[in-house]
């Protein structure tokens, strides 16, 4: 339920209706398709996760813990948890948390972080257990649950628990997720525009099929001919050459490219003049490097399928895609969802025929690329999207492509509801050499509740527990530009300007 900013300001943070239930009574709440398996008060500091470090949760306040199983279809088995802070601690808001990869589990750390901030909060296992897509074989309903239904059903049920416990629905509702969680957030805006008032979507895997193809394109590039394999020991060679050529383009030598698309480094300059030296690449390795930066190409149409990785991202490549084996995350899409053959070999993927087949089969199920967000915007919804320029799993220009498609469809006024922030030097969702610490959740609350659209977001880089650099993240297409005076590690010496 959406609320205008004036109403939100007028309602004190702790002013909630008095018709609240006690936690135990939620076990008898009737929600269609839901079986409540737990409704229990957890005393302050008493939560113990099923596995992991219980000490990490010792500082949690008391809360009402609810668990339920949702069955929107006969083959559904969607597990959710809803954590409800005590009435005096509730900020009258609701926060749902996103997943990662094919993950079928509930992250208690995400719930705990939201609870500490005063949110009524929820998360789902998306309808299966484990991190593989093997659940999808011969289970189309489970795939539908994973694609979009689990999150929507979770959100609907969780709000009913909120109403039953506090006596009213939340005043404002937020989504927060990265990677798969980013895709889930954009899916919600596209398919269920009334579920959330504000969505934080980090590094979204929304062009699902083509993203998977790009990961396997890289894997084929370095493994179809093992002479083309680039060992991690060669990554510093490539990375240092790129930094030498392009780091100063933003007038600050800091080991980070503010806008990697401006770097026109030619990998062929690294080609060996003789065989085998450690400070150069062989001809097959150079060819593979060019393919990694270019991204997959349809061999019949010569059209781009998905962007490639950006210059500067090399130090993270072995983590997911260019190492000895590609991440199972991408292989699973074609092995279990498209071809339903557990023994399928990624080296056989045809980037024309097979990708077309995957697109036709998906038919908007996992792909979340619809740029027409008309209803979500008209209802007052806001989207904050972010993506690291050094992302080594989801090529960052995919976020730019989707953002541009929304502006092309809805016009420049879309910026009143949708902002994209590209993060220089950041890897997938976090990490890397850039300023990867920032608080998008606070920013979107200011936007949704107080109308403060963000032009810049303050970010920091932390090493060994100490802040070593602060820098603004600028609303795309602007970038952070050094003013020419003062420390280049201090955000106040930077301004946001167009490229």
């Amino acid at each position: 339920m959406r609320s205008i900013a004036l109403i939100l300001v007028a309602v004190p943070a702790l002013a909630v209706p008095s018709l609240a239930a006690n936690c135990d009574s939620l076990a008898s709440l009737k929600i269609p398709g839901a079986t409540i398996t737990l409704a229990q008060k957890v005393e302050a500091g008493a939560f113990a996760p099923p596995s992991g470090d219980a000490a990490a949760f010792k500082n949690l306040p008391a809360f009402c813990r609810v668990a339920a199983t949702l069955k929107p279809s006969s083959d559904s088995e969607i597990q959710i948890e809803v954590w409800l802070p005590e009435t005096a601690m509730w900020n009258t808001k609701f926060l749902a948390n996103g997943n990662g990869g094919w993950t079928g589990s509930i992250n208690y750390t995400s719930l705990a972080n939201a609870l500490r901030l005063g949110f009524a909060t929820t998360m789902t296992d998306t309808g299966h257990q484990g991190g593989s897509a093997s659940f999808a074989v011969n289970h189309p309903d489970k795939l539908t649950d994973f694609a979009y239904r689990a999150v929507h059903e979770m959100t609907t049920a969780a709000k009913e628990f909120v109403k039953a416990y506090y006596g009213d629905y939340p005043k404002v509702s937020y989504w927060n997720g990265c990677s798969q969680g980013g895709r889930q957030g954009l899916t919600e805006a596209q398919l269920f525009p009334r579920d959330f008032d504000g969505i934080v979507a980090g590094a979204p895997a929304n062009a699902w099929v083509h993203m998977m193809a790009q990961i396997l394109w890289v894997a084929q590039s370095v493994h179809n001919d093992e002479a083309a394999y680039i060992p991690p020991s060669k990554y510093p060679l490539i990375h240092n050459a790129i930094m030498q050529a392009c780091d100063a383009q933003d007038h600050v030598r800091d080991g980070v490219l503010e806008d990697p698309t401006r770097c026109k480094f030619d990998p062929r300059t690294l080609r060996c003049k003789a065989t085998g030296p450690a400070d150069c690449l062989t001809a097959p390795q150079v060819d593979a490097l060019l393919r990694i930066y270019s991204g997959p190409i349809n061999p019949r149409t010569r059209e781009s399928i998905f962007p490639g990785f950006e210059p500067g991202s090399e130090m993270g490549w072995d983590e997911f895609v260019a190492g000895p084996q590609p991440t199972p995350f991408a292989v699973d899409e074609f092995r279990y969802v498209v071809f339903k053959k557990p023994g399928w070999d990624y080296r056989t993927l045809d980037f024309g025929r097979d990708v077309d087949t995957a697109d036709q089969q998906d038919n908007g199920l996992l792909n979340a690329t619809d740029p027409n967000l008309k209803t979500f915007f008209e209802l007052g919804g806001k989207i904050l999207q972010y993506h690291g320029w050094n992302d080594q799993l989801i090529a960052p220009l995919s976020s730019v492509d989707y953002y541009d498609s929304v502006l092309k469809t809805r016009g420049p006024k879309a910026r009143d509801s949708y902002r994209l922030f590209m993060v220089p030097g950041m890897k997938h969702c976090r990490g890397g050499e850039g300023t990867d610490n920032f608080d998008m959740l606070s920013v979107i609350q200011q936007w949704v509740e107080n109308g403060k659209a963000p032009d810049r977001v303050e970010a920091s880089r932390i090493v060994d527990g100490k802040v070593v650099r602060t820098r603004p993240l600028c609303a795309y297409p602007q970038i952070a530009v050094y003013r020419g005076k003062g420390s280049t590690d201090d955000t106040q010496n930077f301004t946001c300007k167009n490229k």
Side-chain angles (χ1 to χ4, degrees), residues 61-123:
F63 66 99
C64 174
R65 181 187 179 194
V66 181
T69 301
L70 311 181
K71 292 184 70 68
S73 79
S74 60
D75 196 30
S76 295
E77 195 79 13
I78 302 167
Q79 307 296 326
I80 71 168
E81 289 218 13
V82 185
W83 288 15
L84 305 165
E86 293 190 326
T87 302
M89 299 297 294
W90 186 41
N91 62 11
T92 74
K93 306 174 191 179
F94 172 73
L95 176 64
N97 303 276
N99 301 80
W102 292 101
T103 303
S105 63
I106 292 172
N107 187 316
Y108 293 103
T109 299
S110 295
L111 292 171
N113 289 340
L115 185 76
R116 291 186 185 100
L117 295 173
F119 289 96
T121 186
T122 188
M123 193 168 183

Side-chain angles (χ1 to χ4, degrees), residues 124-397:
T124 176
D125 69 352
T126 70
H128 73 279
Q129 296 293 309
S132 166
S134 58
F135 73 89
V137 179
N138 299 321
H139 291 281
D141 278 327
K142 288 188 181 299
L143 185 61
T144 298
D145 290 339
F146 172 81
Y148 63 83
R149 190 162 55 192
V151 166
H152 175 62
E153 294 287 332
M154 169 198 74
T155 301
T156 301
K159 289 182 180 179
E160 293 302 322
F161 287 119
V162 169
K163 182 178 188 298
Y165 188 60
Y166 300 112
D168 201 358
Y169 289 110
K171 301 298 182 185
V172 62
S173 298
Y174 294 103
W175 174 268
N176 188 23
C178 191
S179 193
Q180 175 63 251
R183 185 197 70 85
Q184 291 168 322
L186 294 182
T187 299
E188 279 286 305
Q190 294 166 22
L191 299 183
F192 306 104
R194 289 172 174 80
D195 279 0
F196 296 100
D197 302 285
I199 291 171
V200 176
N206 62 309
W208 185 266
V209 170
H210 288 197
M211 178 199 74
M212 299 298 191
Q214 187 265 346
I215 293 172
L216 298 185
W217 169 273
V218 174
Q220 283 193 14
S221 297
V222 297
H223 289 302
N224 277 8
D225 176 3
E226 289 299 334
Y229 177 63
I230 306 172
S233 60
K234 292 290 183 77
Y235 294 168
L237 166 71
I238 305 167
H239 185 74
N240 291 339
I242 288 171
M243 289 297 115
Q244 184 64 34
C246 300
D247 191 11
Q249 286 181 340
D250 55 14
H251 307 293
V252 179
R253 281 199 174 274
D254 56 0
V256 173
L257 303 182
E258 189 68 29
D259 178 10
T261 64
R262 298 168 60 190
C263 180
K264 306 306 179 185
F265 176 76
D266 185 354
R268 285 167 290 207
T269 60
L270 296 175
R271 183 175 293 164
C272 299
K273 295 180 174 59
T275 303
D279 60 350
C280 63
L281 300 178
T282 65
Q285 289 172 333
V286 169
D287 290 343
L289 188 58
L290 288 165
R291 287 168 59 88
I292 291 171
Y293 291 132
S294 75
I297 305 295
N298 186 309
R300 294 197 302 273
T301 66
R302 306 310 303 169
E303 294 179 344
S304 172
I305 295 173
F306 199 76
F309 292 131
E310 293 301 315
S313 63
E314 302 76 22
M315 299 306 293
W317 286 354
D318 63 321
E319 295 178 39
F320 291 119
V321 295
Q325 294 292 329
T327 175
F329 174 73
V331 178
D332 277 11
E333 164 66 15
F334 292 93
R335 177 175 288 167
Y336 296 118
V337 178
V338 178
F339 299 120
K340 301 174 178 62
K341 294 179 179 179
W344 178 80
D345 184 351
Y346 74 88
R347 294 177 180 84
T348 67
L349 181 67
D350 183 291
F351 291 90
R353 180 189 64 248
D354 292 345
V355 174
D356 288 346
T357 297
D359 270 334
Q360 293 165 7
Q361 185 186 93
D362 184 84
N363 193 30
L365 183 66
L366 288 160
N367 284 333
T369 54
D370 184 356
N372 189 358
L373 300 176
K374 179 176 183 291
T375 302
F376 183 73
F377 290 163
E378 287 181 346
L379 288 167
K382 310 296 183 189
I383 297 175
L384 273 183
Q385 187 170 328
Y386 65 90
H387 207 136
W389 274 122
N390 280 14
D391 197 313
Q392 75 282 33
L393 180 62
I394 303 176
L397 276 176

